[in-house]
């Protein structure tokens, strides 16, 4: 039998939402200050997630 599916608590959801808002703001600032497009930011975030959480 596989692992049980993780379900975040309400507190964990609030933390994730706060973190996401910070990431979203940083991505918008990056787009304003450079010529990065959504595809570049998406690739960068994916690479970072793979590097830290794989």
């Amino acid at each position: 039998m596989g692992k049980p599916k993780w379900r975040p608590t309400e507190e964990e959801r609030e933390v994730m939402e706060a973190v996401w808002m910070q990431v979203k703001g940083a991505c918008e600032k990056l787009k304003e200050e450079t010529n990065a497009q959504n595809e570049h930011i998406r690739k960068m975030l994916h690479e970072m997630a793979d590097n830290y959480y794989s």
Side-chain angles (χ1 to χ4, degrees):
M1 188 170 188
K3 290 183 187 178
K5 188 173 181 180
W6 177 71
R7 298 195 189 280
T9 64
E10 187 60 33
E11 182 180 358
E12 289 169 331
R13 284 185 177 277
E14 289 175 8
V15 169
M16 289 188 293
E17 182 68 25
V19 169
W20 173 244
M21 295 306 291
Q22 291 176 345
V23 169
K24 186 176 175 184
C27 290
E28 290 301 321
K29 185 174 181 180
L30 181 65
K31 283 171 55 175
E32 289 173 6
E33 295 178 359
T34 68
N35 64 349
Q37 300 297 311
N38 287 345
E39 65 189 74
H40 303 121
I41 293 171
R42 186 178 307 112
K43 182 178 178 186
M44 177 186 68
L45 291 172
H46 188 77
E47 288 175 358
M48 290 170 65
D50 284 350
N51 186 43
Y52 289 105
Y53 300 106
S54 293

